[in-house]
Amino acid sequence: MIDIIDTYWLYFLVGQYPDGPLGGLVLTILLGFSALVLALPFGVLLGLARVSERRWLRWPVTALVYIVRGTPLLMVIFWAYFFLPSVTGHKTEQFSTMLTALVFFNGMYIAEIVRAGIQGIARGQMECARSLGLSYVQAMRYVILPQAARNMLPSLVNQFVTTLKETSLGYIIGLAEVSFIANQINIQLLTRPVAVFSTLALVYFVLCFGLSRLAYYLEVRHSRTAAGTARS
Amino acid sequence: MNRPDSIRPGVPMIEFRHVDKYYGSYHALIGVTETIERGEVVVVCGPSGSGKSTLIRTVNRLESIDGGQIFLDGEDVYRPGIELDRFRSGIGFVFQQFNLFPHLNVIENCTLAPTHLRGMTPAQAKDAAMVLLERVGLADKANAYPAQLSGGQQQRVAIARALAMQPPLMLFDEPTSALDPEMVGEVLLVIRDLAHQGMTLVVVTHEMGFAREVADRILFMDRGAVLERARPDDFFNRPQHPRAQQFLADIRSPFAPS
């Protein structure tokens, strides 16, 4: 196994870069991180639309969330890969296609997490904030969302881990992320699938486990600074 | 108990004109017409479901109305185009369930609205809030979080938070109903102090001892209508309406010495 790592570690890490496009683990991390960073605000906006009192905003977004949640991610990727270029007129390369699909798909799930988080806050909080004279937006920003965020954190982390793993579906459109690269290595070696794919599994595990632990650490530190508020 | 400013002529603080409110087909407020003067302390009482809470919640539009008009300081509350947030910031509202913001500590609860709506610097807002916390006897709890306080303390903070917006009018929606009995007194004393300082107060409460001592006037409501309006002495000793008589008989403890 050492010999495989010794030979292929750079390929595994960055793909053909710098002689070709960036790939491998670095691309996976880049894709996963970009998807998280973009899907979160997108999902928060959709979630706010889901609880909006304005029907013209709430109904279409609700319909969209239900439709996308009833669709496999693979199909969304196909749509982004084959359909999007025909609409926009120019061919998108695989990274941005995959990123679009991930942000779009995960935004819907995050929207539901945000909606549940907001609706889990007692109605009196919004009433009280408004009675002080805060606008709806101010009440959301300073009163509702900070409380909702704490309740949402475990579900959000779960979603983030899922997103990270979903980057592997980039394989299907030929994106040279780490699973794709691992398969290339396997094809070259032919006889060592267990070693190659065990290494791949271990890498995913470390990434996902690390992300959950980081979130857990943040959660603990947060509840410590706001001592006593977790009760009640 | 006549204060100089309670007999000042001019625009009344609140004026209800034929206010109707429905919950579905249920007629929650039936043509309520009532005037509350500046500096007046009014206690609204009556059996559960009589419309007391609904009535005061229509004043800052936590509940909408289906007919009639409400004027606050001469301004039509339901006028289209009213700046609702600015308007609401001029009315202190205290809830039965306190509704402190649990993620903020006591001082942050009291400074959130003033810093965002009154253009105060955080330091100014904090100084002002400390004065108010002093007034409700909780200056030493400024850095505590709501979950660390007793119910009575939380409600006193809620009162300080409402006062921080310097409203000319305070509305109390059963401020002691969610409290353990031993904490009712500390909250009522704070409200009494406000009354003595000449603030206009409307208090929905079942605390008849408080009503008797502090109120200038008592409104008795039942089934969506104000059936009796009287000075406390008259209300408790000479209630006119049969349902007011029944209510007073009902709330008297069966164990009280007759």
PDB file of all heavy atoms in Angstrom, chain B residues 183-219:
ATOM      1  N   MET B 183     -44.070  35.530  43.695  1.00  0.00           N
ATOM      2  CA  MET B 183     -43.386  36.513  42.860  1.00  0.00           C
ATOM      3  C   MET B 183     -44.320  37.573  42.300  1.00  0.00           C
ATOM      4  O   MET B 183     -43.886  38.506  41.641  1.00  0.00           O
ATOM      5  CB  MET B 183     -42.710  35.805  41.694  1.00  0.00           C
ATOM      6  CG  MET B 183     -41.613  34.881  42.147  1.00  0.00           C
ATOM      7  SD  MET B 183     -41.067  33.869  40.808  1.00  0.00           S
ATOM      8  CE  MET B 183     -39.895  32.839  41.689  1.00  0.00           C
ATOM      9  N   VAL B 184     -45.590  37.413  42.567  1.00  0.00           N
ATOM     10  CA  VAL B 184     -46.572  38.357  42.022  1.00  0.00           C
ATOM     11  C   VAL B 184     -46.345  39.751  42.599  1.00  0.00           C
ATOM     12  O   VAL B 184     -46.331  40.748  41.875  1.00  0.00           O
ATOM     13  CB  VAL B 184     -48.007  37.861  42.334  1.00  0.00           C
ATOM     14  CG1 VAL B 184     -49.031  38.937  42.019  1.00  0.00           C
ATOM     15  CG2 VAL B 184     -48.297  36.594  41.553  1.00  0.00           C
ATOM     16  N   GLY B 185     -46.084  39.790  43.886  1.00  0.00           N
ATOM     17  CA  GLY B 185     -45.962  41.073  44.577  1.00  0.00           C
ATOM     18  C   GLY B 185     -44.882  41.974  44.012  1.00  0.00           C
ATOM     19  O   GLY B 185     -45.124  43.156  43.741  1.00  0.00           O
ATOM     20  N   GLU B 186     -43.684  41.407  43.768  1.00  0.00           N
ATOM     21  CA  GLU B 186     -42.560  42.238  43.317  1.00  0.00           C
ATOM     22  C   GLU B 186     -42.862  42.900  41.976  1.00  0.00           C
ATOM     23  O   GLU B 186     -42.451  44.031  41.725  1.00  0.00           O
ATOM     24  CB  GLU B 186     -41.291  41.384  43.219  1.00  0.00           C
ATOM     25  CG  GLU B 186     -41.376  40.233  42.230  1.00  0.00           C
ATOM     26  CD  GLU B 186     -40.189  39.263  42.318  1.00  0.00           C
ATOM     27  OE1 GLU B 186     -40.136  38.449  43.267  1.00  0.00           O
ATOM     28  OE2 GLU B 186     -39.340  39.336  41.444  1.00  0.00           O
ATOM     29  N   VAL B 187     -43.623  42.185  41.120  1.00  0.00           N
ATOM     30  CA  VAL B 187     -43.963  42.748  39.813  1.00  0.00           C
ATOM     31  C   VAL B 187     -45.028  43.842  39.960  1.00  0.00           C
ATOM     32  O   VAL B 187     -44.922  44.917  39.368  1.00  0.00           O
ATOM     33  CB  VAL B 187     -44.439  41.629  38.852  1.00  0.00           C
ATOM     34  CG1 VAL B 187     -44.980  42.221  37.552  1.00  0.00           C
ATOM     35  CG2 VAL B 187     -43.285  40.673  38.551  1.00  0.00           C
ATOM     36  N   LEU B 188     -46.019  43.565  40.788  1.00  0.00           N
ATOM     37  CA  LEU B 188     -47.082  44.559  40.988  1.00  0.00           C
ATOM     38  C   LEU B 188     -46.539  45.847  41.606  1.00  0.00           C
ATOM     39  O   LEU B 188     -46.987  46.946  41.269  1.00  0.00           O
ATOM     40  CB  LEU B 188     -48.198  43.975  41.859  1.00  0.00           C
ATOM     41  CG  LEU B 188     -48.992  42.832  41.211  1.00  0.00           C
ATOM     42  CD1 LEU B 188     -50.062  42.330  42.167  1.00  0.00           C
ATOM     43  CD2 LEU B 188     -49.619  43.279  39.893  1.00  0.00           C
ATOM     44  N   LEU B 189     -45.552  45.699  42.485  1.00  0.00           N
ATOM     45  CA  LEU B 189     -44.975  46.901  43.101  1.00  0.00           C
ATOM     46  C   LEU B 189     -44.288  47.779  42.060  1.00  0.00           C
ATOM     47  O   LEU B 189     -44.378  49.011  42.117  1.00  0.00           O
ATOM     48  CB  LEU B 189     -43.981  46.499  44.201  1.00  0.00           C
ATOM     49  CG  LEU B 189     -44.630  45.986  45.481  1.00  0.00           C
ATOM     50  CD1 LEU B 189     -43.563  45.466  46.450  1.00  0.00           C
ATOM     51  CD2 LEU B 189     -45.464  47.076  46.151  1.00  0.00           C
ATOM     52  N   VAL B 190     -43.607  47.136  41.112  1.00  0.00           N
ATOM     53  CA  VAL B 190     -42.958  47.902  40.045  1.00  0.00           C
ATOM     54  C   VAL B 190     -44.003  48.653  39.222  1.00  0.00           C
ATOM     55  O   VAL B 190     -43.843  49.830  38.890  1.00  0.00           O
ATOM     56  CB  VAL B 190     -42.111  46.961  39.142  1.00  0.00           C
ATOM     57  CG1 VAL B 190     -41.677  47.676  37.863  1.00  0.00           C
ATOM     58  CG2 VAL B 190     -40.896  46.450  39.892  1.00  0.00           C
ATOM     59  N   ILE B 191     -45.097  47.954  38.903  1.00  0.00           N
ATOM     60  CA  ILE B 191     -46.155  48.599  38.104  1.00  0.00           C
ATOM     61  C   ILE B 191     -46.793  49.748  38.902  1.00  0.00           C
ATOM     62  O   ILE B 191     -47.072  50.814  38.358  1.00  0.00           O
ATOM     63  CB  ILE B 191     -47.223  47.564  37.684  1.00  0.00           C
ATOM     64  CG1 ILE B 191     -46.571  46.437  36.869  1.00  0.00           C
ATOM     65  CG2 ILE B 191     -48.325  48.229  36.856  1.00  0.00           C
ATOM     66  CD1 ILE B 191     -47.511  45.302  36.523  1.00  0.00           C
ATOM     67  N   ARG B 192     -46.956  49.531  40.204  1.00  0.00           N
ATOM     68  CA  ARG B 192     -47.526  50.595  41.035  1.00  0.00           C
ATOM     69  C   ARG B 192     -46.638  51.837  41.026  1.00  0.00           C
ATOM     70  O   ARG B 192     -47.126  52.967  40.948  1.00  0.00           O
ATOM     71  CB  ARG B 192     -47.718  50.105  42.469  1.00  0.00           C
ATOM     72  CG  ARG B 192     -48.479  51.118  43.327  1.00  0.00           C
ATOM     73  CD  ARG B 192     -48.435  50.756  44.791  1.00  0.00           C
ATOM     74  NE  ARG B 192     -47.074  50.858  45.317  1.00  0.00           N
ATOM     75  CZ  ARG B 192     -46.741  50.556  46.570  1.00  0.00           C
ATOM     76  NH1 ARG B 192     -47.660  50.119  47.399  1.00  0.00           N
ATOM     77  NH2 ARG B 192     -45.489  50.677  46.965  1.00  0.00           N
ATOM     78  N   ASP B 193     -45.322  51.606  41.067  1.00  0.00           N
ATOM     79  CA  ASP B 193     -44.406  52.754  41.024  1.00  0.00           C
ATOM     80  C   ASP B 193     -44.565  53.554  39.733  1.00  0.00           C
ATOM     81  O   ASP B 193     -44.519  54.781  39.737  1.00  0.00           O
ATOM     82  CB  ASP B 193     -42.955  52.289  41.168  1.00  0.00           C
ATOM     83  CG  ASP B 193     -42.656  51.819  42.586  1.00  0.00           C
ATOM     84  OD1 ASP B 193     -43.466  52.151  43.494  1.00  0.00           O
ATOM     85  OD2 ASP B 193     -41.642  51.130  42.795  1.00  0.00           O
ATOM     86  N   LEU B 194     -44.742  52.827  38.645  1.00  0.00           N
ATOM     87  CA  LEU B 194     -44.957  53.516  37.365  1.00  0.00           C
ATOM     88  C   LEU B 194     -46.226  54.350  37.426  1.00  0.00           C
ATOM     89  O   LEU B 194     -46.271  55.482  36.951  1.00  0.00           O
ATOM     90  CB  LEU B 194     -45.072  52.505  36.215  1.00  0.00           C
ATOM     91  CG  LEU B 194     -43.845  51.649  35.920  1.00  0.00           C
ATOM     92  CD1 LEU B 194     -44.157  50.685  34.786  1.00  0.00           C
ATOM     93  CD2 LEU B 194     -42.661  52.526  35.566  1.00  0.00           C
ATOM     94  N   ALA B 195     -47.259  53.770  38.031  1.00  0.00           N
ATOM     95  CA  ALA B 195     -48.530  54.488  38.158  1.00  0.00           C
ATOM     96  C   ALA B 195     -48.336  55.766  38.963  1.00  0.00           C
ATOM     97  O   ALA B 195     -48.833  56.831  38.600  1.00  0.00           O
ATOM     98  CB  ALA B 195     -49.569  53.590  38.816  1.00  0.00           C
ATOM     99  N   HIS B 196     -47.563  55.660  40.022  1.00  0.00           N
ATOM    100  CA  HIS B 196     -47.353  56.825  40.881  1.00  0.00           C
ATOM    101  C   HIS B 196     -46.535  57.907  40.183  1.00  0.00           C
ATOM    102  O   HIS B 196     -46.578  59.069  40.569  1.00  0.00           O
ATOM    103  CB  HIS B 196     -46.668  56.402  42.179  1.00  0.00           C
ATOM    104  CG  HIS B 196     -47.594  55.659  43.084  1.00  0.00           C
ATOM    105  ND1 HIS B 196     -47.185  55.019  44.233  1.00  0.00           N
ATOM    106  CD2 HIS B 196     -48.924  55.433  42.992  1.00  0.00           C
ATOM    107  CE1 HIS B 196     -48.226  54.438  44.814  1.00  0.00           C
ATOM    108  NE2 HIS B 196     -49.287  54.677  44.078  1.00  0.00           N
ATOM    109  N   GLN B 197     -45.774  57.499  39.158  1.00  0.00           N
ATOM    110  CA  GLN B 197     -45.005  58.503  38.428  1.00  0.00           C
ATOM    111  C   GLN B 197     -45.813  59.151  37.312  1.00  0.00           C
ATOM    112  O   GLN B 197     -45.281  59.935  36.524  1.00  0.00           O
ATOM    113  CB  GLN B 197     -43.735  57.863  37.858  1.00  0.00           C
ATOM    114  CG  GLN B 197     -42.687  57.645  38.946  1.00  0.00           C
ATOM    115  CD  GLN B 197     -41.766  56.495  38.624  1.00  0.00           C
ATOM    116  OE1 GLN B 197     -41.728  56.038  37.482  1.00  0.00           O
ATOM    117  NE2 GLN B 197     -41.034  56.029  39.611  1.00  0.00           N
ATOM    118  N   GLY B 198     -47.073  58.778  37.210  1.00  0.00           N
ATOM    119  CA  GLY B 198     -47.941  59.493  36.280  1.00  0.00           C
ATOM    120  C   GLY B 198     -47.977  58.931  34.880  1.00  0.00           C
ATOM    121  O   GLY B 198     -48.466  59.572  33.954  1.00  0.00           O
ATOM    122  N   MET B 199     -47.450  57.704  34.697  1.00  0.00           N
ATOM    123  CA  MET B 199     -47.522  57.099  33.372  1.00  0.00           C
ATOM    124  C   MET B 199     -48.930  56.627  33.067  1.00  0.00           C
ATOM    125  O   MET B 199     -49.667  56.277  33.969  1.00  0.00           O
ATOM    126  CB  MET B 199     -46.608  55.868  33.346  1.00  0.00           C
ATOM    127  CG  MET B 199     -45.392  56.076  32.524  1.00  0.00           C
ATOM    128  SD  MET B 199     -44.575  54.524  32.294  1.00  0.00           S
ATOM    129  CE  MET B 199     -44.242  54.682  30.591  1.00  0.00           C
ATOM    130  N   THR B 200     -49.264  56.613  31.798  1.00  0.00           N
ATOM    131  CA  THR B 200     -50.541  56.048  31.397  1.00  0.00           C
ATOM    132  C   THR B 200     -50.389  54.534  31.322  1.00  0.00           C
ATOM    133  O   THR B 200     -49.524  54.037  30.611  1.00  0.00           O
ATOM    134  CB  THR B 200     -50.969  56.580  30.019  1.00  0.00           C
ATOM    135  OG1 THR B 200     -50.823  57.982  30.015  1.00  0.00           O
ATOM    136  CG2 THR B 200     -52.401  56.182  29.711  1.00  0.00           C
ATOM    137  N   LEU B 201     -51.198  53.816  32.074  1.00  0.00           N
ATOM    138  CA  LEU B 201     -51.087  52.365  32.123  1.00  0.00           C
ATOM    139  C   LEU B 201     -52.441  51.725  31.861  1.00  0.00           C
ATOM    140  O   LEU B 201     -53.455  52.177  32.385  1.00  0.00           O
ATOM    141  CB  LEU B 201     -50.599  51.887  33.498  1.00  0.00           C
ATOM    142  CG  LEU B 201     -49.341  52.502  34.111  1.00  0.00           C
ATOM    143  CD1 LEU B 201     -49.081  51.859  35.482  1.00  0.00           C
ATOM    144  CD2 LEU B 201     -48.146  52.300  33.205  1.00  0.00           C
ATOM    145  N   VAL B 202     -52.429  50.683  31.071  1.00  0.00           N
ATOM    146  CA  VAL B 202     -53.606  49.832  30.943  1.00  0.00           C
ATOM    147  C   VAL B 202     -53.163  48.427  31.328  1.00  0.00           C
ATOM    148  O   VAL B 202     -52.252  47.874  30.723  1.00  0.00           O
ATOM    149  CB  VAL B 202     -54.183  49.839  29.514  1.00  0.00           C
ATOM    150  CG1 VAL B 202     -55.438  48.972  29.452  1.00  0.00           C
ATOM    151  CG2 VAL B 202     -54.477  51.258  29.062  1.00  0.00           C
ATOM    152  N   VAL B 203     -53.774  47.892  32.361  1.00  0.00           N
ATOM    153  CA  VAL B 203     -53.335  46.620  32.921  1.00  0.00           C
ATOM    154  C   VAL B 203     -54.481  45.616  32.890  1.00  0.00           C
ATOM    155  O   VAL B 203     -55.506  45.827  33.531  1.00  0.00           O
ATOM    156  CB  VAL B 203     -52.851  46.804  34.388  1.00  0.00           C
ATOM    157  CG1 VAL B 203     -52.229  45.504  34.892  1.00  0.00           C
ATOM    158  CG2 VAL B 203     -51.867  47.950  34.499  1.00  0.00           C
ATOM    159  N   VAL B 204     -54.281  44.555  32.126  1.00  0.00           N
ATOM    160  CA  VAL B 204     -55.229  43.447  32.188  1.00  0.00           C
ATOM    161  C   VAL B 204     -54.754  42.526  33.300  1.00  0.00           C
ATOM    162  O   VAL B 204     -53.619  42.050  33.268  1.00  0.00           O
ATOM    163  CB  VAL B 204     -55.260  42.672  30.848  1.00  0.00           C
ATOM    164  CG1 VAL B 204     -56.112  41.405  30.978  1.00  0.00           C
ATOM    165  CG2 VAL B 204     -55.779  43.555  29.733  1.00  0.00           C
ATOM    166  N   THR B 205     -55.585  42.312  34.302  1.00  0.00           N
ATOM    167  CA  THR B 205     -55.122  41.498  35.434  1.00  0.00           C
ATOM    168  C   THR B 205     -56.287  40.907  36.209  1.00  0.00           C
ATOM    169  O   THR B 205     -57.424  41.396  36.141  1.00  0.00           O
ATOM    170  CB  THR B 205     -54.222  42.316  36.380  1.00  0.00           C
ATOM    171  OG1 THR B 205     -53.722  41.450  37.406  1.00  0.00           O
ATOM    172  CG2 THR B 205     -54.975  43.462  37.020  1.00  0.00           C
ATOM    173  N   HIS B 206     -55.972  39.840  36.906  1.00  0.00           N
ATOM    174  CA  HIS B 206     -56.948  39.255  37.833  1.00  0.00           C
ATOM    175  C   HIS B 206     -56.635  39.648  39.273  1.00  0.00           C
ATOM    176  O   HIS B 206     -57.281  39.163  40.192  1.00  0.00           O
ATOM    177  CB  HIS B 206     -56.928  37.726  37.710  1.00  0.00           C
ATOM    178  CG  HIS B 206     -57.354  37.223  36.371  1.00  0.00           C
ATOM    179  ND1 HIS B 206     -58.655  37.329  35.936  1.00  0.00           N
ATOM    180  CD2 HIS B 206     -56.678  36.648  35.353  1.00  0.00           C
ATOM    181  CE1 HIS B 206     -58.753  36.828  34.713  1.00  0.00           C
ATOM    182  NE2 HIS B 206     -57.554  36.409  34.336  1.00  0.00           N
ATOM    183  N   GLU B 207     -55.603  40.491  39.455  1.00  0.00           N
ATOM    184  CA  GLU B 207     -55.199  40.864  40.812  1.00  0.00           C
ATOM    185  C   GLU B 207     -56.098  41.979  41.323  1.00  0.00           C
ATOM    186  O   GLU B 207     -55.844  43.162  41.095  1.00  0.00           O
ATOM    187  CB  GLU B 207     -53.735  41.313  40.828  1.00  0.00           C
ATOM    188  CG  GLU B 207     -52.750  40.218  40.469  1.00  0.00           C
ATOM    189  CD  GLU B 207     -52.727  39.103  41.507  1.00  0.00           C
ATOM    190  OE1 GLU B 207     -52.978  39.396  42.707  1.00  0.00           O
ATOM    191  OE2 GLU B 207     -52.465  37.949  41.122  1.00  0.00           O
ATOM    192  N   MET B 208     -57.142  41.595  42.012  1.00  0.00           N
ATOM    193  CA  MET B 208     -58.141  42.577  42.398  1.00  0.00           C
ATOM    194  C   MET B 208     -57.651  43.527  43.503  1.00  0.00           C
ATOM    195  O   MET B 208     -58.052  44.680  43.571  1.00  0.00           O
ATOM    196  CB  MET B 208     -59.433  41.867  42.847  1.00  0.00           C
ATOM    197  CG  MET B 208     -60.142  41.209  41.684  1.00  0.00           C
ATOM    198  SD  MET B 208     -60.547  42.412  40.390  1.00  0.00           S
ATOM    199  CE  MET B 208     -59.882  41.621  38.961  1.00  0.00           C
ATOM    200  N   GLY B 209     -56.745  43.032  44.324  1.00  0.00           N
ATOM    201  CA  GLY B 209     -56.168  43.907  45.347  1.00  0.00           C
ATOM    202  C   GLY B 209     -55.385  45.048  44.705  1.00  0.00           C
ATOM    203  O   GLY B 209     -55.486  46.214  45.108  1.00  0.00           O
ATOM    204  N   PHE B 210     -54.637  44.697  43.675  1.00  0.00           N
ATOM    205  CA  PHE B 210     -53.873  45.678  42.917  1.00  0.00           C
ATOM    206  C   PHE B 210     -54.825  46.677  42.253  1.00  0.00           C
ATOM    207  O   PHE B 210     -54.624  47.891  42.324  1.00  0.00           O
ATOM    208  CB  PHE B 210     -53.030  44.948  41.864  1.00  0.00           C
ATOM    209  CG  PHE B 210     -52.364  45.844  40.867  1.00  0.00           C
ATOM    210  CD1 PHE B 210     -51.155  46.461  41.163  1.00  0.00           C
ATOM    211  CD2 PHE B 210     -52.934  46.077  39.611  1.00  0.00           C
ATOM    212  CE1 PHE B 210     -50.530  47.285  40.232  1.00  0.00           C
ATOM    213  CE2 PHE B 210     -52.327  46.898  38.680  1.00  0.00           C
ATOM    214  CZ  PHE B 210     -51.124  47.504  38.997  1.00  0.00           C
ATOM    215  N   ALA B 211     -55.871  46.143  41.632  1.00  0.00           N
ATOM    216  CA  ALA B 211     -56.840  46.998  40.948  1.00  0.00           C
ATOM    217  C   ALA B 211     -57.441  48.004  41.926  1.00  0.00           C
ATOM    218  O   ALA B 211     -57.547  49.197  41.646  1.00  0.00           O
ATOM    219  CB  ALA B 211     -57.945  46.145  40.332  1.00  0.00           C
ATOM    220  N   ARG B 212     -57.788  47.513  43.078  1.00  0.00           N
ATOM    221  CA  ARG B 212     -58.435  48.366  44.082  1.00  0.00           C
ATOM    222  C   ARG B 212     -57.517  49.495  44.524  1.00  0.00           C
ATOM    223  O   ARG B 212     -57.939  50.639  44.674  1.00  0.00           O
ATOM    224  CB  ARG B 212     -58.805  47.504  45.297  1.00  0.00           C
ATOM    225  CG  ARG B 212     -59.692  48.170  46.310  1.00  0.00           C
ATOM    226  CD  ARG B 212     -59.756  47.333  47.565  1.00  0.00           C
ATOM    227  NE  ARG B 212     -60.585  46.128  47.408  1.00  0.00           N
ATOM    228  CZ  ARG B 212     -61.890  46.097  47.713  1.00  0.00           C
ATOM    229  NH1 ARG B 212     -62.499  47.157  48.165  1.00  0.00           N
ATOM    230  NH2 ARG B 212     -62.568  44.984  47.559  1.00  0.00           N
ATOM    231  N   GLU B 213     -56.228  49.161  44.685  1.00  0.00           N
ATOM    232  CA  GLU B 213     -55.317  50.173  45.232  1.00  0.00           C
ATOM    233  C   GLU B 213     -54.761  51.113  44.167  1.00  0.00           C
ATOM    234  O   GLU B 213     -54.606  52.302  44.399  1.00  0.00           O
ATOM    235  CB  GLU B 213     -54.129  49.486  45.934  1.00  0.00           C
ATOM    236  CG  GLU B 213     -53.329  50.490  46.760  1.00  0.00           C
ATOM    237  CD  GLU B 213     -51.912  50.033  47.013  1.00  0.00           C
ATOM    238  OE1 GLU B 213     -51.711  48.852  47.337  1.00  0.00           O
ATOM    239  OE2 GLU B 213     -50.996  50.884  46.889  1.00  0.00           O
ATOM    240  N   VAL B 214     -54.467  50.602  42.993  1.00  0.00           N
ATOM    241  CA  VAL B 214     -53.697  51.372  42.020  1.00  0.00           C
ATOM    242  C   VAL B 214     -54.545  52.004  40.914  1.00  0.00           C
ATOM    243  O   VAL B 214     -54.219  53.075  40.411  1.00  0.00           O
ATOM    244  CB  VAL B 214     -52.579  50.493  41.402  1.00  0.00           C
ATOM    245  CG1 VAL B 214     -51.750  51.277  40.399  1.00  0.00           C
ATOM    246  CG2 VAL B 214     -51.682  49.944  42.512  1.00  0.00           C
ATOM    247  N   ALA B 215     -55.633  51.345  40.537  1.00  0.00           N
ATOM    248  CA  ALA B 215     -56.377  51.818  39.366  1.00  0.00           C
ATOM    249  C   ALA B 215     -57.111  53.126  39.637  1.00  0.00           C
ATOM    250  O   ALA B 215     -57.593  53.367  40.743  1.00  0.00           O
ATOM    251  CB  ALA B 215     -57.378  50.760  38.923  1.00  0.00           C
ATOM    252  N   ASP B 216     -57.164  53.988  38.605  1.00  0.00           N
ATOM    253  CA  ASP B 216     -58.065  55.138  38.653  1.00  0.00           C
ATOM    254  C   ASP B 216     -59.464  54.687  38.264  1.00  0.00           C
ATOM    255  O   ASP B 216     -60.457  55.212  38.711  1.00  0.00           O
ATOM    256  CB  ASP B 216     -57.623  56.217  37.655  1.00  0.00           C
ATOM    257  CG  ASP B 216     -56.254  56.782  37.998  1.00  0.00           C
ATOM    258  OD1 ASP B 216     -55.996  56.999  39.191  1.00  0.00           O
ATOM    259  OD2 ASP B 216     -55.451  56.966  37.070  1.00  0.00           O
ATOM    260  N   ARG B 217     -59.466  53.697  37.368  1.00  0.00           N
ATOM    261  CA  ARG B 217     -60.724  53.273  36.801  1.00  0.00           C
ATOM    262  C   ARG B 217     -60.623  51.798  36.467  1.00  0.00           C
ATOM    263  O   ARG B 217     -59.553  51.294  36.137  1.00  0.00           O
ATOM    264  CB  ARG B 217     -60.997  54.044  35.500  1.00  0.00           C
ATOM    265  CG  ARG B 217     -62.435  54.255  35.148  1.00  0.00           C
ATOM    266  CD  ARG B 217     -62.576  55.568  34.370  1.00  0.00           C
ATOM    267  NE  ARG B 217     -61.710  55.559  33.214  1.00  0.00           N
ATOM    268  CZ  ARG B 217     -62.104  55.171  31.993  1.00  0.00           C
ATOM    269  NH1 ARG B 217     -63.338  54.755  31.803  1.00  0.00           N
ATOM    270  NH2 ARG B 217     -61.269  55.210  30.979  1.00  0.00           N
ATOM    271  N   ILE B 218     -61.741  51.116  36.579  1.00  0.00           N
ATOM    272  CA  ILE B 218     -61.777  49.696  36.237  1.00  0.00           C
ATOM    273  C   ILE B 218     -62.773  49.495  35.109  1.00  0.00           C
ATOM    274  O   ILE B 218     -63.879  50.044  35.135  1.00  0.00           O
ATOM    275  CB  ILE B 218     -62.171  48.851  37.462  1.00  0.00           C
ATOM    276  CG1 ILE B 218     -61.015  48.868  38.466  1.00  0.00           C
ATOM    277  CG2 ILE B 218     -62.510  47.416  37.060  1.00  0.00           C
ATOM    278  CD1 ILE B 218     -61.277  48.162  39.756  1.00  0.00           C
ATOM    279  N   LEU B 219     -62.328  48.740  34.099  1.00  0.00           N
ATOM    280  CA  LEU B 219     -63.246  48.341  33.040  1.00  0.00           C
ATOM    281  C   LEU B 219     -63.548  46.873  33.254  1.00  0.00           C
ATOM    282  O   LEU B 219     -62.632  46.061  33.361  1.00  0.00           O
ATOM    283  CB  LEU B 219     -62.610  48.517  31.658  1.00  0.00           C
ATOM    284  CG  LEU B 219     -62.131  49.911  31.261  1.00  0.00           C
ATOM    285  CD1 LEU B 219     -61.557  49.877  29.846  1.00  0.00           C
ATOM    286  CD2 LEU B 219     -63.273  50.915  31.347  1.00  0.00           C
TER     287      LEU B 219
END
